[in-house]
Amino acid sequence: MIVMKFGGTSVGSPERMKSVSSLVTKSGEPVFIVLSAMSGTTNSLVEISNYLYKKNTDGANEVINRLEANYMEHVENLYSTDEYKKMTRDFLADVFKYLRSFTKELFTSFEEKNIVAQGEIMSTNMVVNYMREQGYDAVLLNALDFMRTDKNAEPDPNYIKEKLGAIMKENEGHHVYITQGFICRNAYGEVDNLQRGGSDYTASLIGAAINAEEIQIWTDIDGMHNNDPRVVEKTEAVRQLHFEEAAELAYFGAKILHPTCIQPAKYAGIPVRLKNTMEPDAHGTIIDNVTVRGKIKAVAAKDKITAIKIKSSRMLLATGFLRKVFEIFESYQTAIDMVATSEVGVSMSIDNDAHLNEIVDELKKYGTVTVDTDMCIICVVGDLDWSNVGFETRATDAMRDIPVRMISYGGSNYNISFLIRGADKKRALQNLSNELFK
């Protein structure tokens, strides 16, 4: 069985929903579909929540009314029979009645998560009703019945596998299985969500739980590109990536995928394919555990980086110096992207400057601190094992006329990273494309 995930733009209109339905039934094989909310819906639900937090019920009701009118219009354009139009209108009316009920009660983060979950609940019901109207054998499985996180807010794979296995056994023999992405229950049974990776994470967890043949992530672009198409002209989709390469690219700026969402597939050895709903016959990008030797695959960039350097001659070779430095970042829950050390100091980069002032004040106990803002990390990904003589040189040669603040190499066999000024990003990406891919 193949797991297919479709994002918000892929189900963002009645026409797109019809295209997705046609796409998933074309192969004739059983498929498991994971759907996001219709594009724009989650933002509207968050807006409703914001009004309710501020006790502005009029503002919340205005957004609810606008969203309801939009959905009812979609119903008219999606279904061809009065039976399914009425069935879906009645279902949606209940959802919007439920949303309005929150304008009369105390509002907390618990209620907000219930509100935000309605986007996926509406999209999946609309699609399964359309498929049934068209005569397809489709069944809707509620993600809240099997998708759960543990007390650390991480997915609980054993629970998911056990519960989903039982549900699939009860619903044997169907052609299309549909469920909601993103939403789940937490360890206490409350409605929650997966946050990082959202619906992609759901698809990966389901694929691992049912031992799928392949997990397909369908978006509006044809896979991961070898450079940022918003900055560099004539980029190309990368045909194949190792899981580690894909994670590096996702972490350092390739927005098509979240770095954590493919971990369940990686550990289960299930390939992940990135596909384009606008060009369904395109190959896309396959992500698996195969390393292609002797090839640099792609470049990505991460913006809004801050570099921090602490220099202290009195801490020369002092035991515990690095531990004290890293503990400061940990105490403010600030992740470090890159690290470079010398005999008398250490440089680090972060992408979250919410506690920058406090961190700098703490670091000044141990040495002289300098800060560079508006920086950018350029990440070059491929077979960059240290035994590949000259491979890192190809990347550094492309950066020869770009001022480089820091270089990270050797921490992974799959990347070399450069910290540069944000103003030099476009030139750096273009130079790397010219040097590595042309």
Side-chain angles (χ1 to χ4, degrees):
M1 182 178 289
I2 292 176
V3 175
M4 305 171 74
K5 174 264 174 179
F6 293 91
T9 55
S10 297
V11 290
S13 68
E15 292 73 25
R16 293 281 180 88
M17 287 184 173
K18 291 176 182 178
S19 296
V20 164
S21 299
S22 174
L23 187 63
V24 301
T25 55
K26 190 165 59 174
S27 68
E29 298 294 324
V31 290
F32 199 120
I33 310 304
V34 178
L35 298 181
S36 298
M38 290 180 66
S39 56
T41 298
T42 300
N43 288 341
S44 294
L45 295 172
V46 170
E47 185 181 4
I48 292 165
S49 300
N50 289 337
Y51 278 121
L52 293 175
Y53 272 123
K54 296 176 174 63
K55 303 187 187 307
N56 183 349
T57 57
D58 289 342
N61 280 320
E62 186 175 330
V63 180
I64 292 171
N65 292 341
R66 188 167 64 240
L67 190 62
E68 182 177 23
N70 190 37
Y71 268 81
M72 293 305 178
E73 183 180 341
H74 288 327
V75 168
E76 292 302 314
N77 295 323
L78 181 59
Y79 306 100
S80 56
T81 64
D82 291 338
E83 176 190 358
Y84 277 91
K85 286 182 181 180
K86 182 180 185 309
M87 182 191 306
T88 309
R89 274 199 302 264
D90 290 347
F91 169 78
L92 292 175
D94 286 342
V95 171
F96 287 102
K97 182 180 179 181
Y98 176 66
L99 292 178
R100 290 187 182 93
S101 73
F102 290 101
T103 63
K104 305 177 182 67
E105 299 176 0
L106 177 69
F107 196 78
T108 68
S109 60
F110 172 76
E111 283 78 23
E112 179 183 13
K113 288 175 180 176
N114 277 273
I115 284 178
V116 172
Q118 300 311 306
E120 279 75 14
I121 290 171
M122 288 192 289
S123 66
T124 49
N125 273 273
M126 290 175 72
V127 171
V128 78
N129 283 350
Y130 174 76
M131 285 190 172
R132 288 170 177 168
E133 184 187 51
Q134 299 304 306
Y136 299 129
D137 178 21
V139 60
L140 179 61
L141 308 181
N142 190 344
L144 298 178
D145 291 339
F146 62 86
M147 193 62 60
R148 189 178 80 169
T149 56
D150 58 24
K151 291 182 179 179
N152 297 316
E154 295 293 338
D156 187 340
N158 293 329
Y159 178 93
I160 295 167
K161 185 172 184 176
E162 178 186 345
K163 289 294 183 181
L164 181 56
I167 291 170
M168 292 291 285
K169 194 169 183 180
E170 292 172 5
N171 293 275
E172 281 183 322
H174 291 286
H175 182 62
V176 180
Y177 298 85
I178 298 178
T179 196
Q180 301 87 14
F182 180 60
I183 66 175
C184 65
R185 292 191 186 275
N186 60 27
Y188 309 100
E190 301 163 338
V191 174
D192 210 326
N193 55 67
L194 295 174
Q195 298 179 8
R196 297 167 300 174
S199 298
D200 294 351
Y201 212 168
T202 302
S204 187
L205 289 162
I206 288 173
I210 66 174
N211 195 27
E213 176 186 343
E214 183 175 280
I215 298 164
Q216 297 180 353
I217 308 294
W218 290 77
T219 65
D220 53 359
I221 58 175
D222 53 341
M224 274 197 182
H225 279 230
N226 60 5
N227 210 323
D228 189 340
R230 297 166 300 181
V231 179
V232 177
E233 294 181 356
K234 298 180 180 178
T235 63
E236 296 179 355
V238 181
R239 286 296 185 93
Q240 185 274 342
L241 289 167
H242 187 278
F243 277 112
E244 296 289 346
E245 294 171 334
E248 297 279 7
L249 288 170
Y251 183 77
F252 286 107
K255 302 298 184 185
I256 188 174
L257 203 62
H258 192 281
T260 62
C261 74
I262 56 175
Q263 286 180 354
K266 171 188 172 183
Y267 298 140
I270 299 170
V272 175
R273 190 182 297 274
L274 308 180
K275 297 277 285 180
N276 185 357
T277 51
M278 309 302 173
E279 298 180 38
D281 295 328
H283 181 274
T285 300
I286 188 77
I287 304 169
D288 52 29
N289 279 315
V290 177
T291 298
V292 177
R293 297 295 178 188
K295 188 172 183 180
I296 294 177
K297 301 285 189 66
V299 178
K302 191 174 187 180
D303 299 317
K304 297 179 181 177
I305 301 297
T306 299
I308 303 169
K309 179 168 70 174
I310 174 171
K311 182 178 179 182
S312 177
S313 57
R314 66 186 175 88
M315 300 302 292
L316 176 65
L317 303 179
T319 302
F321 174 51
L322 287 178
R323 174 180 57 80
K324 292 174 183 176
V325 168
F326 291 140
E327 281 178 348
I328 292 171
F329 288 87
E330 182 182 2
S331 67
Y332 290 101
Q333 297 184 317
T334 300
I336 297 172
D337 292 318
M338 292 173 62
V339 180
T341 63
S342 71
E343 292 86 348
V344 295
V346 56
S347 289
M348 296 145 293
S349 72
I350 60 174
D351 64 0
N352 176 8
D353 61 1
H355 299 286
L356 179 61
N357 293 334
E358 296 97 317
I359 290 171
V360 170
D361 284 342
E362 294 272 357
L363 289 173
K364 285 180 178 177
K365 297 175 184 177
Y366 303 109
T368 304
V369 180
T370 56
V371 176
D372 296 308
T373 58
D374 297 322
M375 306 295 282
C376 173
I377 295 176
I378 304 290
C379 176
V380 179
V381 166
D383 180 24
L384 285 159
D385 188 277
W386 68 275
S387 61
N388 292 337
V389 177
F391 270 47
E392 72 281 3
T393 304
R394 292 179 60 195
T396 54
D397 278 352
M399 302 290 287
R400 57 185 170 269
D401 63 342
I402 306 288
V404 176
R405 169 70 173 75
M406 195 190 315
I407 298 176
S408 175
Y409 176 62
S412 160
N413 290 335
Y414 297 99
N415 93 58
I416 179 171
S417 297
F418 303 89
L419 183 66
I420 64 172
R421 296 177 306 202
D424 295 322
K425 169 186 167 180
K426 183 174 182 179
R427 192 156 52 101
L429 291 178
Q430 189 64 63
N431 287 358
L432 284 163
S433 266
N434 295 340
E435 186 76 30
L436 302 177
F437 308 129
K438 293 183 181 178

